[in-house]
């Protein structure tokens, strides 16, 4: 029947939407875990958007002055005032970790266990650095008197939204670091080489999806929290 | 079938990596622009570009089948409604506040930096 | 290089059959056991909520003789509403029926991630326990209304501000985690683990309803989660997300600049899809009940599927119809009234198709059929009153009155409940191998159907009179005639009557489980896959050595030229056969 | 079974129609310009009613006609595009027929007509107040942080526009007949909702913003205002009144109301002068306001000044004073306090009395009382100390026998003999609603026994 032809259909061709959705057995030609991760990320997108919408609405509706992020998050390095510099560095760290993650996926599929695992560990390390810098940022803000419940620079929601959103993002990063560790360990120890797993390294891609998503969210936080 | 999956030349990751660096540098740069449409336009443009590259290349969306792409990218459109309405709602709320309420106290800590 | 579907490598699947009692019935990873655990817990919660509704009703019906305080009244209203919507209906439809039916109807051996599926139930149980604990903490459960609107929900003057509200929010957050674990499973299973020949357009509508409802859940619960987190922070560490400068009991609070309306938007961005989360599975299940017992294909299957999808998508852009009089930007009313009434069109199509399924059918009034027909009646009634409220101007006089209470009970407090009872009677033979007792079931039906109409119809009129909802007592109002008190007493008596009828249901279930007639594998002579399992009740892995293969759509009843009046989905197409499902 | 079901369906449809047309239960008479809303409701009823009848009668028909009979086989027809498209179009027309008038009316509702008179309704747990913009036609800014017992509406004293604002702290507002009224809504604590069922429109009050509704009252009369957004346990008892009257009568009423500036310099009472006037009260209430059960006179010492002020006003205006003999007596006494400033003087004098807790005379089950008092505490305070914000007097340490008598009076079924039975005594009415939860005299004693344990 028609369904047998699906694989043949050109995947970039628009008709493939129809063939895929009208296929039997499965709709997406991807492993279960990957399909599930995508759907989860979709759900997570709604979470982060709701956070950002909440923050944005509060920011627009409050009549109090909103602090200028580029001043609040400035650092003085070698005597020069550098607005947002730490955030810029954090952004670069996270992007770099995304790059190493992408390579880990690649080596995973090639069956290069050592490289895949070490790249994952590097990714995790970058992630940890990111969280560390975030912690520094928090400490600095707290020292300056910003709290979730008060803010000497203006609108109260500034501190609250900042701690909540970066905190939730930071939790995602931390969870990702742990997730990376677990999978990297399994890659090294040959867990996926067992007969019933058949040397299948799609798990690395799945971790990767999650990790890139965390990076993705940061892009939006950067734009809407720091640059606005 | 063990090694089947997303495999692309490594160079493409380096390219994207570089691009993302560049875009991030640019978006960092927008911070030095004056408030206004240009700045907002650039912030959003760069944001979308960065997000697009991460999704398309790092997350391999560009190589997925169209069915999956639309299944994932379609639903967030619903969020645009939420975002749009909440922006207007924010403006409306603020307008009533400015109209009728005494302005909130000035922040105390502005001597910072 | 396409990925090979599970159906084509069934031999690779290793199901570890559980060997101890614990792994078989307690920490079970079998979707059927999890379904029953989910269902049992949900029904138990439902019974609590039912009891609360009676206490409320006694207060409203007999305010002078019955003795609860407003404090308790608002707690009961809140817990009643929340439990019914989330912990009974959502959990029973998705966790219960979703779990039971999806793998069976799709031709899968189990959910794709059985371990996570199991966790989902246990986390759900934790959520239920947290909620129940709130009855016993100082101050008791929250009395903020199930909508939990701040600032009131977290300020003095509302019951349960100390612990109740915290536990409520916590329980919701935990529930969302549980739901997400289950929901990812349901969606992925439907999409990725169907058997050979099972295309999406051959799935029974039950699966479609549950599937789309689950997607709605995955996209809508996030807004509730975020709102809950923000409110927890407002409550626990005095942030001001939803809190402007205000006085509480005459004392100025330290909050400033937050927006109470924001919560309402987030809540209803979740809340409206939520009402369809409990409606769509009902739509799906009832379609299958009607078709099976009418011995006739569901009319307009493709339209039915598209209607489900359309309703699901539209449900995200109508949320502010709950907020017409909330003080939001009033210009939003135009947009939301229009989208809201547009939903009537796909819903209408569904209603027409159910009725047209009966038309020229061969109707067997078995137990499930009674409930399904009753559902059509109550749902049409409730849906139409929804159009009153959706039409923004009409909502002005009616919002926050008992008309709204009448509307949502008709559409949610009885219609899906009718489907649930019908579905339980329908699938009971598959779950237990025994037939439910028809006499008891019939009595149960008549009492519930007529009784609930007697509860909810008068509510609308009491509301039109102007009686506001969430009123502990009405006292004297110059525009509500005293005769309204009679209506209220009548409603209360009817509610007690219906509650008593539920006892019959439980007796029936336990009695039939123990002494019911053997049902055989397919007592209703149904076409869908779950009735074609080698064992009844199906064993772990569902299908024995071979996964089934599907050759036709789910509704080949009374096919012309065929001797019987149904052809199961796994029967090959005979040469020259006229099935559309081919 | 099939026949029974069909019959029941028909009976339910017919019964619903009969119920709709014959039951006495429908909207209360409209008293505003919003006939368009009623019209939309009617159209909606007709469209939906038609669909309701048609769909269900057809179902009933199918149930009988196509019930199972031996040898009968269902018709096999998967779909019929023509039919489905036809029904879709039919439904869309029905929907459009309801929506069009609805949107037109809504367009009227969101746009307040030019020249509408502005009034502000202020809600708080569980009480209404009002404000008019005064001569300059402009409201002064407000600020909840400025709300105090002397400035209960939180008008910003530093805003000149606020000085001539007319402040109505009593929960009764008057409105002129046939005047477009732009009702601004403001809340100081939680969500509330301003509803007059006869006007058909309603809108929430949201703390931290100002919302609105508009209407034109078209029938003279007094209408009840209800709060229709859950605002805590007093929600059901949060009421107020709107009096619609001729413009002249309205102007007279409005002129009698104080401006904000006037409320801010209320004459400070002079205790020495008050002592002279108090000589009249002394006979019953005692030299130090300690109360006297034999004379049925409750303790005054330590009572909140605003509460004493309000009660004297109630007696003077006839809101109280007819419910029983004791009240008649007090009304007569209150009537003599007419010299301007004398009331403030007396109140100031009472404020100088030592505040010894009154002797306790009532016994009851303290534990049960504690449970009952939970509800009372939200207004009267955890310690029974009273609250200006909730307009609730102090209870602890006051004459318990008087509390007992008043609670009984609040529960009195006959409105003429009930405290709070007067239509304008809205605080009294609030207590009528709350007193419902003290089911019998034992409950009253119990709660008072608990109040007696409060410091
Ligand atoms: C299962 C749950 C469920 C369902 C399916 C619906 C369905 C609908 N609901 Fe309801 N609703 C609730 C549950 C549900 N609702 C709850 C719980 C609340 C209260 C929450 C709270 O405040 O506590 C609520 C409140 C509510 C409000 C807010 C009222 C207020 O607070 O002021 C509104 C307003 O628009 C509304 C509208 C609708 C509409 C238009 C539909 C439509 O989807 C209905 C569509 C169906 C039909 C129309 C019937 C079939 C159609 C035909 C037979 C065709 C013929 C029609 C024509 C030709 C016109 N609902
Ligand atoms: C599914 C949802 C659901 C259900 C079933 C019910 C059932 C009932 N509800 Fe209610 N109700 C709500 C959802 C529901 N309710 C919500 C969301 C609110 C709003 C809360 C708020 O304002 O915050 C509310 C509020 C509400 C009020 C308004 C209170 C007020 O505003 O002051 C009243 C008043 O009479 C009421 C009464 C009843 C009665 C008498 C019943 C029933 O007793 C009717 C008769 C019983 C049945 C129809 C059988 C039910 C059976 C079970 C529960 C057992 C489960 C088993 C299986 C399904 C297998 N409910
Ligand atoms: Cu104020 Cu309800
Ligand atoms: Cu809704």
């Amino acid at each position: 029947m028609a369904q047998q032809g699906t694989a043949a259909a050109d995947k970039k061709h628009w008709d493939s939407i129809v063939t895929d959705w009208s296929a039997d057995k499965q709709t997406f030609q991807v492993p279960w875990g990957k399909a599930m991760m995508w759907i989860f990320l979709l759900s997570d997108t709604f979470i982060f958007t709701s956070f950002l919408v909440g923050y944005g609405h509060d920011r627009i509706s409050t009549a109090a002055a909103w602090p200028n992020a580029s001043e609040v998050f400035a650092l003085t390095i070698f005597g020069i005032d550098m607005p947002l510099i730490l955030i810029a560095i954090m952004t670069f760290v996270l992007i770099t970790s995304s790059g190493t993650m992408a390579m880990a996926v690649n080596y995973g599929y090639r069956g290069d266990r050592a490289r895949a695992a070490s790249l994952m560990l590097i990714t995790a390390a970058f992630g940890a650095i990111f969280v560390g810098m975030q912690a520094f940022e928090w400490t600095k803000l707290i020292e300056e008197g910003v709290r979730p419940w008060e803010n000497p620079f203006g609108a109260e929601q500034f501190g609250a939204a900042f701690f909540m959103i970066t905190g939730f993002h930071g939790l995602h990063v931390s969870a990702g670091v742990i997730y990376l560790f677990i999978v990297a360990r399994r890659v090294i120890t040959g867990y996926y080489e067992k007969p019933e797993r058949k040397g299948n390294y799609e798990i690395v891609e799945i971790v990767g999806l999650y990790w890139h998503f965390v990076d993705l969210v940061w892009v939006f936080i950067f734009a809407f929290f720091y640059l606005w | 079938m063990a090694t089947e999956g997303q495999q692309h030349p490594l160079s493409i990751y380096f390219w994207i990596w570089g691009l993302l660096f560049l875009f991030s540098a640019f978006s960092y740069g927008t911070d030095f622009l004056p408030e206004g449409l240009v700045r907002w336009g650039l912030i959003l443009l760069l944001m979308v570009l960065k997000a697009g590259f991460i999704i398309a290349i790092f997350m391999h969306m560009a190589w997925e089948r169209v069915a999956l792409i639309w299944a994932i990218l379609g639903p967030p459109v619903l969020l645009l409604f939420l975002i749009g309405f909440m922006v207007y709602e924010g403006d409306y709320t603020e307008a009533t506040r400015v109209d009728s309420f005494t302005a909130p106290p000035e922040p105390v800590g502005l001597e910072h930096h | 290089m396409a990925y090979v579907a599970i159906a084509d490598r069934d031999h690779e699947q290793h199901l570890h059959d559980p060997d101890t009692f614990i792994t078989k019935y307690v920490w079970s990873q079998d979707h059927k056991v999890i379904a029953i655990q989910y269902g049992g817990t949900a029904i138990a919660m439902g019974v609590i909520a039912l009891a609360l509704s009676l206490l409320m009703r006694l207060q409203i019906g007999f305010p002078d003789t019955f003795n609860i305080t407003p404090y308790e009244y608002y707690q009961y209203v809140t817990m009643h509403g929340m439990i019914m919507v989330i912990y009974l209906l959502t959990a029973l439809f998705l966790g219960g029926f979703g779990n039971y039916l999806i793998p069976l109807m799709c031709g899968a051996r189990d959910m794709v991630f059985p371990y996570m599926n199991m966790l989902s139930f246990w986390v759900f149980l934790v959520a239920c326990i947290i909620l129940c604990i709130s009855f016993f903490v100082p101050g008791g459960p929250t009395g903020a209304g199930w909508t939990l609107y701040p600032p009131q929900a977290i300020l003095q003057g509302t019951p349960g501000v100390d612990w109740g509200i915290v536990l409520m929010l916590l329980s919701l957050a935990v529930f969302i985690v549980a739901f997400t674990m289950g929901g990812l499973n349901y969606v992925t299973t439907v999409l990725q683990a169907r058997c050979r020949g099972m295309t999406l357009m051959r799935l029974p509508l039950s699966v479609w309803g549950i599937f789309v409802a689950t997607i709605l859940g995955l996209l809508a619960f996030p807004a509730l989660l975020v709102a809950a987190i923000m409110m927890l922070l407002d409550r626990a560490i005095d942030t001001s997300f939803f809190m402007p400068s205000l006085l509480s009991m005459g004392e100025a609070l330290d909050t400033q600049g937050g927006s109470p309306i924001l919560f309402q938007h987030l809540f209803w961005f979740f809340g409206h899809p939520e009402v369809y989360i409990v409606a769509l599975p009902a739509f799906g299940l009832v379609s299958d009940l009607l078709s099976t017992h009418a011995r006739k294909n569901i009319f307009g299957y493709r339209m039915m599927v598209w209607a489900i999808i359309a309703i699901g998508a539209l449900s995200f852009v109508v949320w502010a119809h709950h907020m017409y009089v909330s003080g939001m930007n009033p210009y939003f009313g135009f947009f939301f009234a229009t989208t809201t009434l547009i939903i009537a069109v796909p819903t209408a199509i569904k209603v027409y198709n159910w009725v047209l399924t009966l038309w020229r059918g061969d109707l067997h009034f078995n137990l499930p059929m009674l409930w399904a027909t009753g559902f059509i009646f109550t749902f049409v009634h409730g849906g139409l009153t929804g159009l009153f409220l959706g039409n923004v101007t009409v909502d002005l006089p009616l919002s926050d009155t008992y008309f709204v209470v009448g509307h949502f009970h008709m559409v949610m407090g009885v219609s899906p409940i009718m489907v649930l009872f019908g579905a339980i009677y329908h699938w009971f033979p598959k779950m237990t191998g025994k037939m439910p007792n028809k006499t008891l079931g019939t009595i149960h039906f008549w009492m519930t159907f007529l009784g609930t109409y007697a509860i909810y119809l008068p509510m609308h009129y009491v509301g039109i009179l102007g009686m506001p909802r969430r009123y502990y007592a009405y006292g004297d109002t110059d525009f509500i005639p005293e005769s309204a008190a009679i209506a209220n007493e009548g409603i209360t008596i009817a509610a007690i009557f219906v509650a008593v009828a539920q006892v019959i249901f439980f007796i029936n279930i336990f009695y039939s489980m123990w002494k019911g007639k053997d049902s055989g594998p397919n007592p209703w002579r149904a076409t869908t896959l779950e009735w074609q399992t080698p064992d009844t009740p199906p064993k772990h892995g569902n299908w024995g050595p071979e996964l089934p293969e599907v050759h036709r759509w789910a509704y080949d009843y009374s096919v012309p030229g065929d001797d019987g009046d149904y052809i199961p989905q796994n029967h090959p197409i005979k040469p020259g056969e006229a099935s559309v499902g081919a | 079974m099939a026949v029974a079901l069909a019959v029941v369906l028909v009976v339910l449809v017919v019964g619903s129609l009969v119920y709709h047309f014959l039951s006495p239960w429908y909207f209360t008479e409209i008293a505003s310009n919003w006939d368009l809303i009623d019209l939309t409701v009617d159209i909606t009823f007709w469209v939906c009613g038609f669909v309701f009848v048609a769909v269900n009668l057809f179902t009933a028909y199918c149930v009988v006609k196509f019930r199972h009979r031996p040898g009968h086989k269902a018709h096999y027809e998967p779909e019929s595009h023509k039919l489905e498209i036809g029904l879709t179009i039919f439904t869309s027309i029905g929907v459009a027929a309801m929506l069009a008038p609805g949107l037109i009316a809504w367009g009227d509702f969101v746009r307040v007509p030019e020249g509408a008179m502005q009034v502000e309704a202020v809600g708080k747990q569980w009480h209404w107040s009002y404000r008019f913009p005064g001569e300059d036609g402009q409201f002064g800014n407000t600020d909840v942080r400025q709300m105090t017992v002397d400035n209960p509406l939180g008008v910003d004293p530093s805003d000149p526009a606020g000085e001539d604002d007319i402040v109505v702290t009593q929960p009764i507002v008057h409105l002129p007949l046939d005047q477009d009224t732009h009702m601004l809504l403001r809340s100081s604590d939680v969500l509330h909702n301003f509803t007059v069922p006869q006007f058909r429109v309603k809108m929430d009050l949201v703390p931290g913003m100002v919302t609105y509704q508009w209407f034109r009252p078209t029938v003279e009369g007094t209408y009840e205002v209800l709060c229709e957004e859950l605002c805590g346990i007093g929600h059901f008892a949060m009421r107020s009144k709107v009096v619609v009257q001729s413009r002249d009568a309205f102007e007279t009423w409005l002129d009698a109301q104080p401006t904000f500036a006037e409320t801010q310099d209320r004459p400070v009472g002079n205790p020495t002068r008050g002592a002279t006037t108090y000589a009249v009260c002394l006979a019953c209430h005692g030299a130090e306001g300690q109360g006297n059960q034999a004379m049925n006179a409750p303790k005054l010492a330590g009572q909140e000044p605003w509460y004493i002020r309000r009660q004297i006003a109630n007696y003077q205006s006839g809101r109280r004073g007819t419910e029983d003999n004791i009240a008649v007596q007090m009304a007569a006494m209150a009537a003599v306090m007419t010299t301007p400033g004398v009331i403030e003087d007396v109140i100031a004098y009472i404020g100088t009395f030592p505040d010894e807790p009154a002797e306790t005379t009532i016994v009851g089950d303290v534990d049960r009382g504690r449970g009952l008092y939970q509800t009372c505490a939200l207004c009267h305070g955890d310690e029974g100390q009273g609250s200006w914000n909730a307009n609730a007097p102090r209870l602890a340490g006051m004459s318990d026998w008087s509390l007992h008598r008043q609670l009984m009076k609040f529960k009195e079924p006959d409105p003429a003999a009930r405290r709070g039975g007067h239509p304008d005594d809205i605080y009294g009415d609030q207590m009528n609603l709350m007193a419902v939860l003290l089911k019998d005299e034992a409950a009253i004693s119990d709660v008072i026994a608990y109040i007696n344990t409060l410091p």
Side-chain angles (χ1 to χ4, degrees), chain D residues 150-214:
Chain D
D150 294 321
N151 181 7
L153 294 190
V155 180
D156 184 350
S158 65
D159 183 352
E163 281 179 19
D164 64 346
D165 287 6
I166 291 165
V167 172
V168 184
T169 45
Q170 286 290 326
I172 299 182
V173 67
H174 292 226
L175 293 177
L177 187 67
D178 287 326
Q179 163 71 55
D180 290 339
T181 306
H182 180 194
M183 180 71 82
L184 295 165
L185 304 167
R186 180 161 64 90
S187 160
S188 68
D189 41 32
V190 302
L191 303 171
H192 302 281
N193 179 304
F194 184 91
T195 305
V196 177
Q198 288 88 341
F199 295 169
R200 296 295 188 265
V201 290
K202 60 165 68 83
M203 190 54 72
D204 277 7
L205 287 67
V206 184
M209 67 189 285
V210 175
T211 58
Y212 71 92
Q213 57 176 268
W214 82 268

Side-chain angles (χ1 to χ4, degrees), chain A residues 157-169:
Chain A
Q157 288 80 8
F158 175 80
F162 173 76
F163 290 119
M164 179 178 70
I165 295 178
T166 58
F168 206 75
H169 178 261

Side-chain angles (χ1 to χ4, degrees), chain B residues 64-78:
Chain B
E64 295 294 355
R65 298 178 66 87
V66 191
L68 180 71
I69 297 179
W70 283 96
I72 301 302
L73 296 187
V77 171
L78 298 170

